[in-house]
């Protein structure tokens, strides 16, 4: 019999031990995730609150097991990372799991903070391990992923206890960075009645993991493996962890091998990360938003992922429900930043330095700088006085509002103007801080224009006398109704 590395509390929750032979038989085929579209209805049929359903789903790794969404640091696009508001939003937007980071204050209180220091995400400085809880509580969180130029909000660093109370009926919490503080974390889970909500995670030696789980019945656990510790899978033997989190920098990594993953998949869930390049090769959120086959679809279908950690929980949920991701809204027209018109320097664009200084696919002989930002292809190294011309064709006559999908960790990030059909540039549009070079956000420009059905030119020019440091993924013309 296979004994899962989990205490008796967990095993009484509806899944008995599974015969090893059955597991081995299942291992002969890399089980594909359910077809996109199948998940939405399935979820409603189950009873209990959302956390109970997520818990049962996590324990299920059968052929029809649903793919689960884990929101990286909560919904940080709309609230500070690791804030209570970010956690609430992530659950409200469909994530079954919210990944948070746990650290101890000097006086031993588990709080949510990613870095060892508070500088990036708050208005304070110093190491959290050197600050008392009272000192930590006086700090205010910065927007999104933080950074020195991110606005300070009214949100505070939450305690783990506060976070677990939020999650208690809503879903699961993946406890990253917290292995060293596991005993303190366990006490919080017990005190808040959330043992079933907390998913521990580590890449600690197997003996250490076994010892902790043996002493903490019911603890949920994910083991992190990459090519440096793949042998730990052998050490777990026939008592595997509930979840393996598999990290692979490239598809040539040993842990990305199909037979290896089939084995993991037959015995539990496989968790993969699509936030950035190098976590699951180049199968990222941004690549998925261009074409799911370049990201999520391949992680699920080829690599057997049944938990995906994402910075785009809403978009992933949409993909899992409909099979589509990153689609253009009805009636809208999208033109890629890097898809500027042909013609060359001085005719279709002006760029201030020779050649493509970015790492992305620029055009031969042309100077516009194009970067690959974790799968998003964007015009980068944008400088004052540069401009780009686009050819757009609108499907019907009407008023259109222009929005730009941009990324920048700066405030101000930049200023651009739009000109239609060879006319004069309009009012300056400020690019707002998105708190990361790869943290793209679709920002309305406030510019609206009547356009007759058919082709038009649109020129985007950067004010010469303004600070400019931002990336342009695409422009979008959206029909204005009413
Ligand atoms: Ca250039
Ligand atoms: Ca440039
Ligand atoms: Ca683009």
């Amino acid at each position: 019999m296979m004994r899962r590395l989990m205490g008796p509390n967990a095993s009484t929750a509806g899944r008995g031990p599974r015969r090893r032979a059955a597991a081995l038989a299942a291992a002969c085929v890399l089980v594909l995730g359910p077809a996109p579209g199948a998940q939405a209805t399935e979820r409603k049929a189950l009873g209990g609150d959302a956390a109970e359903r997520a818990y049962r789903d996590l324990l299920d790794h059968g052929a029809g097991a649903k793919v689960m969404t884990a929101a990286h640091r909560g919904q940080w696009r709309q609230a500070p990372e690791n804030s209570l508001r970010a956690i609430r939003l992530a659950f409200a937007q469909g994530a079954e799991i919210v990944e948070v980071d746990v650290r101890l204050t000097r006086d031993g209180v588990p709080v949510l903070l990613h870095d060892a220091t508070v500088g990036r995400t708050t208005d304070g400085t110093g190491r959290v391990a050197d600050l008392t809880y009272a000192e930590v509580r006086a700090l205010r969180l910065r927007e999104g992923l933080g950074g020195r130029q991110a606005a300070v909000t009214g949100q505070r660093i939450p305690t783990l206890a506060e976070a677990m109370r939020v999650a208690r009926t809503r879903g699961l919490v993946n406890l990253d960075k917290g292995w060293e503080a596991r005993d303190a974390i366990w006490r919080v889970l017990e005190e808040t009645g959330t043992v079933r909500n907390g998913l521990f995670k580590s890449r600690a030696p197997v003996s250490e993991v076994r010892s902790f789980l043996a002493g903490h019945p019911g603890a949920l656990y994910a083991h992190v493996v990459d090519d440096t510790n793949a042998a730990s899978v052998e050490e777990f033997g026939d008592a595997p962890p509930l979840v393996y989190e598999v990290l692979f920098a490239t598809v040539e990594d040993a842990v990305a091998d199909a037979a290896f993953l089939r084995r993991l998949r037959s015995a539990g869930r496989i968790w993969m990360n699509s936030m950035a390049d190098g976590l699951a090769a180049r199968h990222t959120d941004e690549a998925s938003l261009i074409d799911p086959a370049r990201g999520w679809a391949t992680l699920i279908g080829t690599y057997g992922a049944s938990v995906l950690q994402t910075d785009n929980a809403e978009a992933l949920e949409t993909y899992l429900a409909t099979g589509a991701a990153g689609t253009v809204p009805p009636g809208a027209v999208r033109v890629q930043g890097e898809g500027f018109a042909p013609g060359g320097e001085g005719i279709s664009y002006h760029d201030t330095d020779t050649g493509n200084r970015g790492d992305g696919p620029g055009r031969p002989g042309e100077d516009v700088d194009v970067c690959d930002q974790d799968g998003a292809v964007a015009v980068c190294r944008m400088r004052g006085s540069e401009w780009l011309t686009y050819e757009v064709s609108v499907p019907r006559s009407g008023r259109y509002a222009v929005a730009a999908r941009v990324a920048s960790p700066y405030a101000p990030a930049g200023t651009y103007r739009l000109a239609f059909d060879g006319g004069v540039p309009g009012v300056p549009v400020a690019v707002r801080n998105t708190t990361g070079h790869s943290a793209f956000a679709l920002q309305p420009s406030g510019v609206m224009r009547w356009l007759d059905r058919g082709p038009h030119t649109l020129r985007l020019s950067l004010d010469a006398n303004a600070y400019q440091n931002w990336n342009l993924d695409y422009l979008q013309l959206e029909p204005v109704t009413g």
Side-chain angles (χ1 to χ4, degrees), residues 31-35 38-39 42 57 60-67 265 269:
V31 185
L32 304 184
Q39 295 205 166
E42 196 178 295
D57 280 331
D60 176 17
H61 65 269
K66 67 169 295 194
V67 176
R265 181 71 176 84
R269 279 186 173 266

Side-chain angles (χ1 to χ4, degrees), residues 351-358 366-370 380-381 386:
D351 194 87
T352 51
D353 53 31
T354 307
N356 172 18
R357 304 286 183 100
E366 296 193 329
D367 304 318
V368 175
D369 306 294
V370 179
C380 56
R381 299 175 66 94
E386 294 186 342

Side-chain angles (χ1 to χ4, degrees), residues 187-381:
R187 284 194 293 278
V188 170
L189 300 189
E190 284 200 320
E191 284 162 17
T192 54
T194 57
V195 165
R196 284 189 175 192
N197 301 79
L199 177 61
F200 287 86
K201 167 150 92 184
S202 89
R203 48 188 308 146
V206 172
S207 58
E208 189 177 301
V209 173
R210 280 211 174 108
S211 164
F212 175 73
L213 295 178
H216 300 83
L220 307 177
Y221 179 73
H223 196 68
V224 182
V225 289
D226 61 17
D227 274 10
T228 66
N229 70 336
S232 60
V233 169
E234 306 299 333
E235 292 179 60
F236 279 112
D238 63 358
L242 194 57
V243 180
Y244 275 112
E245 179 173 332
V246 181
L247 300 173
F248 55 108
T250 75
V251 294
E252 281 78 41
D253 283 15
V255 294
D257 173 70
F260 178 81
L261 290 171
R262 270 199 296 275
R263 211 178 123 206
L264 304 192
R265 181 71 176 84
S266 71
R269 279 186 173 266
I270 294 180
W271 169 308
M272 287 180 179
N273 303 302
S274 56
M275 297 85 76
D277 281 342
L279 301 174
R282 303 187 69 183
H283 303 298
T284 60
D285 291 343
E286 288 292 341
S288 306
L289 294 174
I290 297 170
D291 177 1
R294 293 174 52 189
W296 299 327
T298 297
L299 292 179
I300 296 166
T302 303
Y303 294 98
S306 57
V307 183
L308 288 175
Q309 185 179 198
T310 177
D311 282 326
N312 294 268
E314 260 190 308
L316 174 55
E317 285 288 309
T318 300
Y319 166 69
L320 293 172
T322 68
T327 51
V328 181
V333 177
R334 185 178 295 171
V335 57
Q336 296 294 332
E338 67 280 12
F340 51 93
E345 168 65 36
I347 297 165
S348 66
Y349 71 82
H350 169 56
D351 194 87
T352 51
D353 53 31
T354 307
N356 172 18
R357 304 286 183 100
D359 62 352
R363 296 208 295 241
E366 296 193 329
D367 304 318
V368 175
D369 306 294
V370 179
C371 290
D372 181 329
Q373 301 286 145
D374 293 310
V377 179
V379 177
C380 56
R381 299 175 66 94

